[in-house]
Amino acid sequence: MTLRNHPPAEPDIASLKAHALDLRRKMMGMASGKGEGYIAQGLGIADCLAALYFHEMRHDPARADWADRDRFLLSTGHYSIAMYAVLAQAGYLDVAELPSYGINGSALPMSTFDTTNGVEIVGGSLGHGLGQAVGMAMGLRLDGSPARVFCEFSDGELDEGSTWESAMGAATFKCDNLVVLIDCNGIQADGPVTVAIEPVADKMTAFGFETYEIDGNDMAALAEALGKCREPNGKPKAIVLRTIPGFGIPTIMARERAHFVRVGNDEWDALIAELEHENA
C-alpha cells in the first residue's frame, strides 16, 4: 500500500509489465476451453489494471472493506475476466477459483457482482459506473477520507446520456478525488463504435476534467498519467486510454469482431503460444 500525499516511488515499469503479462496468462487460462468470452477487452485493459493495483492505488487485500481504501469501479462488468485476474494476483481471490469463471453457479460470473471480494459495484448495466463513482467520491470527501475513486468505463458508454450527466456532476462538485479511465478500444457489441463520440479528450476537458490521452497499452505512459492525476486541484481527472482489443495476441488483435470472441477448442494452445512468443 502507498499512503496518499506520499506518492509511490518511481514506478518499476519492468515489474508492472510482468504483472500485466501474468494477468493475460491468467485470463487465457480462465477462458481456455470455454469456447467464448470477453477475452479481447480483458487483454486490452490488463496494463491499466496492473498499473492501478500494483503501483497507484492504496488498498489492502487483508482488509477489503477498509474505509480509507482507494476504490476501483469497473463499469464494464463484462470485463470481469480481467477483474478476477487482478484480484487473484493482488490477493483478494484464491487463484484456484479462477478456472470456474463463467461456469453456471460459479462465484465468478461473466459480469461482475459486488458479492465477490474486492469488487465494489455490480457491473453490466452499462452507463451507470460514472454516476456511482461521482457519488462515492462526494461521500468520501464528506467523510474526510483521503481515499480516491478510480472508475473505468468504455467508449461505448459515451453513447449513454447518464455518462455525460455524471461527468457534469463531477466537475460541478469539484470531485478532484475522482480519476476516470476511459477505455477507447473502438468496439461495441455489434462491431465498431459508430456514434460520433470523438474527440473524447477534448470533450472531457470541455466538461471540466483535467484530461490526458495516452496509449493504454504503454505501461510507462500509464504510470506517468496516473502520477499526474494525484494533485487535489479542484478538478476531476480523466485518462483516455487508446487500447487494442486482444493486445498481446496478434490473432485476436486482428479480429474485426472482437467484442465477444468465439474460440475453437483446437485454437487455445496456439493463442497461448502466441502470447508467450510476443513476450519472449
Side-chain angles (χ1 to χ4, degrees):
M1 297 191 308
T2 303
L3 295 176
R4 194 179 180 199
N5 299 326
H6 294 77
E10 286 297 312
D12 183 340
I13 299 302
S15 176
L16 292 174
K17 286 182 176 180
H19 276 298
L21 174 57
D22 195 50
L23 293 180
R24 293 185 169 101
R25 287 173 174 148
K26 282 183 169 62
M27 284 185 258
M28 292 303 289
M30 292 161 69
S32 182
K34 296 193 170 71
E36 58 190 15
Y38 298 101
I39 186 68
Q41 296 98 323
L43 294 169
I45 204 68
D47 300 293
C48 178
L49 294 184
L52 285 172
Y53 276 84
F54 302 107
H55 174 64
E56 188 63 30
M57 283 174 46
R58 182 175 67 166
H59 64 100
D60 183 357
R63 296 182 294 162
D65 61 350
W66 176 37
D68 285 341
R69 70 191 182 280
D70 288 341
R71 275 77 166 166
F72 174 70
L73 277 58
L74 183 77
S75 186
T76 50
H78 56 292
Y79 287 26
S80 63
I81 193 168
M83 188 81 234
Y84 303 145
V86 78
L87 288 176
Q89 196 160 322
Y92 290 89
L93 299 178
D94 185 345
V95 173
E97 286 188 73
L98 295 182
S100 72
Y101 162 74
I103 295 174
N104 287 342
S106 168
L108 305 179
M110 281 196 178
S111 231
T112 52
F113 285 88
D114 58 359
T115 53
T116 303
N117 195 40
V119 175
E120 299 285 354
I121 62 170
V122 176
S125 185
L126 298 178
H128 291 205
L130 183 55
Q132 293 179 82
V134 173
M136 283 189 188
M138 293 174 66
L140 289 166
R141 187 172 63 192
L142 288 171
D143 287 343
S145 172
R148 291 187 291 167
V149 180
F150 296 82
C151 178
E152 177 276 342
F153 60 89
S154 66
D155 45 6
E157 289 176 90
L158 296 176
D159 293 354
E160 301 271 4
S162 59
T163 300
W164 294 107
E165 292 167 4
S166 300
M168 284 189 286
T172 298
F173 297 110
K174 303 184 187 305
C175 296
D176 57 6
N177 56 342
L178 171 66
V179 180
V180 302
L181 304 141
I182 309 172
D183 184 23
C184 289
N185 61 19
I187 60 170
Q188 290 180 299
D190 296 323
V193 174
T194 56
V195 174
I197 61 171
E198 298 291 352
V200 174
D202 289 349
K203 288 178 179 178
M204 294 304 295
T205 300
F207 270 65
F209 281 67
E210 179 180 307
T211 309
Y212 304 93
E213 184 170 10
I214 63 169
D215 177 346
N217 297 121
D218 181 328
M219 190 61 75
L222 279 161
E224 181 180 4
L226 287 166
K228 290 177 179 177
C229 290
R230 296 179 192 135
E231 184 65 29
N233 60 1
K235 286 188 174 185
K237 317 300 191 297
I239 304 177
V240 178
L241 307 171
R242 300 293 177 179
T243 67
I244 300 174
F247 189 82
I249 302 180
T251 295
I252 298 179
M253 291 167 65
R255 292 198 177 188
E256 185 176 350
R257 295 178 68 84
H259 177 76
F260 190 75
V261 175
R262 287 178 170 80
V263 180
N265 286 337
D266 59 337
E267 294 183 88
W268 287 106
D269 287 346
L271 293 176
I272 293 169
E274 276 190 32
L275 177 63
E276 297 302 332
H277 176 75
E278 290 294 304
N279 291 276

